[in-house]
Amino acid sequence: MKRRHALKMIGFGSAAAMLTQADDGRARPSRFDSTPARRPEIMVGSTDLREIEAIDSHTHERAFLTATKSNAVYARGFADGGLPPGPFPEKDALRDRLIPEYAAHWERMPPQVGLRNYIARTYGAEPTRENLDAIIARHPDATAYYREKMDYERIAAVVLQSESTDPVRPKALFPDDRFVWTFSIGPLIQPGWARDRGITEIDQFKKALLDIVATCAKNGCRGIKLPIAYYRPISFRKVSRADADRALKIALDAKPSAFIEGRAPTYDDDTITAALWTYEDYLLNALFVRAGELNLNIIIHVCVALNTLLRADWNDPRGLYHTFTDADVQAAGTRFVLIHSGYPYHHHVASFISQFPNVYTDLSYISHHPGTLEDVLRTFLGLAPSEKIMHGSDFSSPEALAYSVDNERRVLAKVLADYRSHYGWTDKDCERMARNVLSGTARKVFDIAI
Ligand SMILES: [Zn+2]
C-alpha cells in the first residue's frame, strides 16, 4: 500500500508543516508533513493527541512473518514454556496437544482483537486474520513498511532491543535514522558464557562483563536490558567478593538438568541454584554502578502475562527497594526503567516511580490491551509525574507498533479527560502529561534527538 493511499483511508487533512513543542519549550519542526484530521475520541480539550509525536520506548525485531506464521511460532513457545524444562517421556505429545490451544487462545486475546480492528479502521477492510495477513504480504520491503507505519502514526523513533550478544549497534530492518538501541545482558551472566571464555574467577568474570558494557556505551547503546525475571528473582543481595567467587566455582562445576530459554541453567540441587544466583547478584550489583557511571539505563523486565515462562514470584519487584536505596547505586546516579508496567505489580511500580527520581516505567506490551492500559495509566498518573512514564509496544511488526500507539492515544485521551473535566487540571497540564507519556519522557531517558 502506498503511503498516500493509507493516509487517505483515515482522512488526513492539509499537508501543512507542523511544529511540535519540545519538552524544553522550544518548538522543533515536525518530521511529519500532514495535519491529522481531528477525531473527538482522541482530543483532550483543544489538543488532538494525534498531533503529538510518539516514541516507542521498547521494540524488538524478528524475522518478518505474516501474522498467521508468527502466531504459530508464539503458540509453540507458550506451549513449551508452560511445561517443565528438560525432556520427559510425554513432553512431545503434550506439546502437540497444547500448541493449537495456545494458538486459539492468543487469537482471542486483546492484542489480537485490537489489532484486527485497527487494520479494519485503517485500511477499510474486514477485521479478519486473512485480511491482516494480506496487508502484511503487500509489504515485501520491511524497512519501507516500518517507515510507512511510523510516519502514519507519527512515531518519530523507536528504542530497539538488539538481539545480538555483540555490543555494537545492530543492523536493523528499522530505518537507520529512526532508532536507538539497547543491549540484553541475559546470556552474558550465565556459567556457559564464562566457561566458553575460560573464565574461572569472579573478578575475571566481572571485568569481562563490564568491558562489554563499556563497549556498548562507546557504541551509542542507551541501556542494558535484564530479562532475568524469566529465570530468577529480581532482587539482588549484597555479596562479598569471596562468597561470589566460591559460588561461581560451584556453578561452573555443576551439570545443569535443563536450560530455560535455551540458556539459563536449572539444577536439581537447590544449593547449586543458590550459588548461581549468588554470583549473579555480585555481577549485577557491579553492573548497576558501572551503568550509572556510563550513563546507561538499566532496563528490567517486570510483568506476568501471557508468556507461560513468567512466574509471579520471580517478577515480584519489591526487593528492588534495596537496589534503589543502595549507596553505591545512588552515588552512580543509575536510572532504572521497569518495563511492561510491572503488571500485576503496577501498584508497586507506581510507588517506586513516585518515590525515586531515578526510577521510570513503560507501558510496553500493556499498551495492546485497552482495558488494562486504562487501569495502569490511571494508577501511574494518579501517583507519579508523567515525566516518569513512557509509551512502548514490545512488539516487532509494523502494524502492531502502529496499533499500540493508536491505543495509547485513545486511552490517554480518556484518562486525561477526567483530569480536565473532574480533577481541575488545566488544558496545559493535560497536554504536558500527554506529551510526556507519548514521547517526552522517552526522549530524555533514552537521550533521543531524532
Ligand atoms: Zn521486550
Side-chain angles (χ1 to χ4, degrees):
M1 166 165 296
K2 291 275 184 296
R3 181 168 168 242
R4 196 178 306 134
H5 182 48
L7 298 182
K8 208 171 126 214
M9 287 287 193
I10 207 157
F12 268 41
S14 86
M18 288 182 58
L19 292 179
T20 46
Q21 189 85 17
D23 236 39
D24 52 13
R26 279 177 300 148
R28 68 157 74 82
S30 169
R31 68 173 60 257
F32 309 106
D33 58 3
S34 308
T35 304
R38 294 167 102 74
R39 284 188 279 153
E41 73 273 19
I42 46 174
M43 303 275 301
V44 182
S46 57
T47 304
D48 184 335
L49 301 197
R50 256 187 82 78
E51 291 178 7
I52 299 176
E53 67 170 20
I55 285 178
D56 191 325
S57 65
H58 182 63
T59 63
H60 292 272
E61 198 170 86
R62 303 209 165 90
F64 224 62
L65 299 170
T66 61
T68 300
K69 280 189 190 148
S70 76
N71 290 2
V73 172
Y74 283 129
R76 186 177 177 80
F78 300 147
D80 229 7
L83 294 168
F88 58 95
E90 315 83 18
K91 188 163 189 173
D92 289 347
L94 263 176
R95 187 197 291 115
D96 288 347
R97 205 201 72 211
L98 288 169
I99 288 171
E101 284 182 33
Y102 277 107
H105 174 72
W106 175 235
E107 286 289 313
R108 293 188 287 264
M109 290 276 285
Q112 292 295 291
V113 178
L115 179 60
R116 289 196 294 270
N117 288 324
Y118 171 79
I119 61 129
R121 285 196 298 279
T122 310
Y123 293 91
E126 285 297 306
T128 63
R129 157 74 48 234
E130 294 69 33
N131 282 344
L132 181 52
D133 280 350
I135 286 164
I136 293 170
R138 269 187 247 162
H139 296 82
D141 181 339
T143 303
Y145 194 8
Y146 276 123
R147 192 182 291 282
E148 175 188 313
K149 292 307 294 189
M150 288 174 74
D151 286 349
Y152 181 63
E153 290 294 352
R154 312 174 80 80
I155 304 169
V158 304
V159 180
L160 172 66
Q161 183 182 316
S162 172
E163 301 294 325
S164 170
T165 50
D166 291 329
V168 295
R169 179 178 168 87
K171 295 205 187 329
L173 293 173
F174 279 100
D176 200 51
D177 58 340
R178 300 290 281 271
F179 76 93
V180 297
W181 62 286
T182 60
F183 181 80
S184 173
I185 209 84
L188 280 65
I189 57 172
Q190 307 303 336
W193 190 84
R195 214 177 285 119
D196 289 349
R197 281 153 190 79
I199 289 169
T200 55
E201 308 277 336
I202 196 69
D203 279 345
Q204 278 178 295
F205 203 164
K206 184 169 96 173
K207 182 176 183 318
L209 183 70
L210 298 188
D211 281 354
I212 287 184
V213 169
T215 307
C216 278
K218 195 168 71 95
N219 289 335
C221 178
R222 299 302 206 274
I224 302 297
K225 164 81 178 290
L226 268 61
I228 59 175
Y230 276 86
Y231 34 80
R232 57 153 288 170
I234 47 168
S235 59
F236 311 102
R237 287 169 308 125
K238 293 289 253 188
V239 176
S240 71
R241 198 203 64 79
D243 285 349
D245 198 50
R246 257 192 303 278
L248 174 64
K249 287 180 167 99
I250 292 169
L252 285 174
D253 288 344
K255 190 172 160 15
S257 54
F259 290 88
I260 300 174
E261 284 204 313
R263 62 169 180 247
T266 60
Y267 305 98
D268 293 333
D269 182 343
D270 288 348
T271 59
I272 298 172
T273 305
L276 173 73
W277 294 351
T278 297
Y279 89 72
E280 287 179 351
D281 284 352
Y282 180 81
L283 293 180
L284 291 167
N285 280 319
L287 166 71
F288 298 152
V289 173
R290 193 78 189 104
E293 292 163 354
L294 293 166
N295 199 25
L296 284 166
N297 297 294
I298 291 289
I299 303 155
I300 307 180
H301 169 108
V302 193
C303 184
V304 183
L306 180 66
N307 194 315
T308 44
L309 281 170
L310 292 165
R311 290 171 44 161
D313 53 350
W314 289 352
N315 278 269
D316 184 340
R318 285 176 292 180
L320 288 172
Y321 178 83
H322 303 292
T323 296
F324 300 151
T325 53
D326 180 87
D328 295 335
V329 170
Q330 295 217 355
T334 313
R335 282 186 305 274
F336 293 86
V337 185
L338 309 182
I339 61 170
H340 315 315
S341 83
Y343 192 90
Y345 299 107
H346 52 296
H347 292 97
H348 296 288
V349 171
S351 304
F352 283 146
I353 63 171
S354 99
Q355 286 176 294
F356 298 104
N358 56 329
V359 181
Y360 297 80
T361 189
D362 86 10
L363 300 155
S364 60
Y365 185 66
I366 296 302
S367 58
H368 303 258
H369 307 65
T372 301
L373 179 60
E374 182 174 342
D375 169 30
V376 168
L377 257 177
R378 284 189 194 281
T379 302
F380 287 163
L381 289 171
L383 207 61
S386 53
E387 282 80 356
K388 308 303 285 299
I389 307 161
M390 296 178 263
H391 164 68
S393 69
D394 191 33
F395 277 41
S396 55
S397 100
E399 297 296 342
L401 262 60
Y403 165 57
S404 143
V405 76
D406 179 66
N407 214 13
E408 191 81 70
R409 288 188 173 108
R410 285 165 184 271
V411 175
L412 199 48
K414 184 168 186 234
V415 172
L416 291 178
D418 278 351
Y419 276 82
R420 182 173 178 272
S421 303
H422 300 293
Y423 304 167
W425 261 235
T426 64
D427 281 356
K428 224 172 156 205
D429 291 328
C430 292
E431 187 182 334
R432 175 181 53 81
M433 290 158 87
R435 286 188 187 284
N436 282 332
V437 172
L438 285 168
S439 53
T441 305
R443 273 203 183 283
K444 279 189 189 150
V445 171
F446 291 105
D447 187 21
I448 296 173
I450 295 167

